[in-house]
Amino acid sequence: GQNIDQPTEMTATEGAIVQINCTYQTSGFNGLFWYQQHAGEAPTFLSYNVLDGLEEKGRFSSFLSRSKGYSYLLLKELQMKDSASYLCAVMDSNYQLIWGAGTKLIIKP
Amino acid sequence: GAVVSQHPSRVICKSGTSVKIECRSLDFQATTMFWYRQFPKQSLMLMATSNEGSKATYEQGVEKDKFLINHASLTLSTLTVTSAHPEDSSFYICSARDRDYGYTFGSGTRLTVV
């Protein structure tokens, strides 16, 4: 079966760095997405990785290792507004998105 | 960037009535629209995939006669929850695949059935 695993919840301190991991097992791979979702709102796009390596975009970076079925989202200089759920999703061989359950990130002052 | 407009954002309806949710792609043609449901503290659950001009493909366990999907044009897809019941109360979100294989989400509809 297809499976996306990510931690349920993480806590970090304002100004610090946090890494949210995602491991996947899917039928085929056509890229991995990270989305941010605040409570009661729709997800917003953060990043897309299809090749191995690190993609940096401001305070957020995303890493992919296809051989390990592994990705992480790195958030630097954490701000209170970064408190949200972070969803990992993999596009399978049929170009359908398989979603993880999301990681709730709690930022403390 | 690509924008998907979803309406209404919030609706309260009586049990047994029907509710229609609309999603429009504003600056691109959405040949494929995905409809998701999300219960509190859970991830998105794909309900169905609709392609313009053809019948929607429903995920296992989703009643196609209860959740009617119409994708009559390249910019509009609708989801109608028929004979709604309290257990249908949820957050419904549409998503369209844009030009660059990205997925753009509508703002979501909070449905409460009383």
Side-chain angles (χ1 to χ4, degrees):
Chain A
Q2 309 206 89
N3 196 48
I4 310 283
D5 284 318
Q6 49 182 133
T8 304
E9 186 173 297
M10 299 182 70
T11 303
T13 304
E14 189 176 17
I17 299 173
V18 71
Q19 178 175 310
I20 303 174
N21 296 324
C22 172
T23 58
Y24 63 89
Q25 291 177 311
T26 57
S27 55
F29 180 84
N30 281 299
L32 185 145
F33 296 80
W34 282 98
Y35 282 83
Q36 180 191 61
Q37 185 178 27
H38 287 98
E41 297 181 12
T44 55
F45 172 80
L46 290 179
S47 67
Y48 171 65
N49 294 66
V50 66
L51 299 177
D52 290 349
L54 186 69
E55 296 271 349
E56 297 187 75
K57 203 183 282 186
R59 294 190 299 116
F60 292 7
S61 302
S62 56
F63 171 83
L64 174 67
S65 169
R66 288 172 296 170
S67 63
K68 296 182 179 178
Y70 168 70
S71 172
Y72 67 72
L73 179 69
L74 190 72
L75 292 77
K76 304 176 184 176
E77 301 170 14
L78 286 170
Q79 301 174 10
M80 297 303 293
K81 67 178 182 179
D82 297 330
S83 291
S85 287
Y86 291 85
L87 307 176
C88 172
V90 172
M91 190 186 298
D92 68 11
S93 56
N94 294 319
Y95 293 94
Q96 301 300 321
L97 275 184
I98 312 300
W99 291 88
T103 298
K104 182 179 180 181
L105 178 62
I106 300 169
I107 310 296
K108 295 186 175 180
Chain B
V3 176
V4 174
S5 175
Q6 181 172 350
H7 294 282
S9 58
R10 193 178 293 267
V11 59
I12 301 173
C13 71
K14 291 184 177 180
S15 186
T17 61
S18 296
V19 173
K20 179 185 282 189
I21 302 169
E22 287 190 355
C23 276
R24 293 180 184 274
S25 56
L26 297 187
D27 52 359
F28 67 101
Q29 294 182 331
T31 54
T32 303
M33 191 76 78
F34 303 90
W35 287 94
Y36 294 90
R37 181 167 51 184
Q38 186 177 35
F39 293 105
K41 299 184 180 181
Q42 294 186 23
S43 190
L44 301 168
M45 291 176 53
L46 181 65
M47 298 175 65
T49 302
S50 71
N51 294 293
E52 185 267 336
S54 63
K55 291 184 179 180
T57 303
Y58 290 81
E59 296 299 302
Q60 193 171 8
V62 178
E63 301 173 58
K64 63 180 181 181
D65 294 330
K66 180 172 182 60
F67 298 99
L68 301 179
I69 291 174
N70 185 287
H71 196 156
S73 77
L74 287 170
T75 58
L76 174 64
S77 179
T78 61
L79 167 68
T80 302
V81 183
T82 63
S83 187
H85 288 96
E87 57 265 31
D88 298 324
S89 297
S90 186
F91 191 51
Y92 292 85
I93 311 174
C94 63
S95 174
R97 188 184 297 162
D98 65 27
R99 293 174 290 270
D100 303 312
Y101 281 125
Y103 288 79
T104 300
F105 286 86
S107 53
T109 298
R110 172 75 60 192
L111 171 64
T112 304
V113 184
V114 298

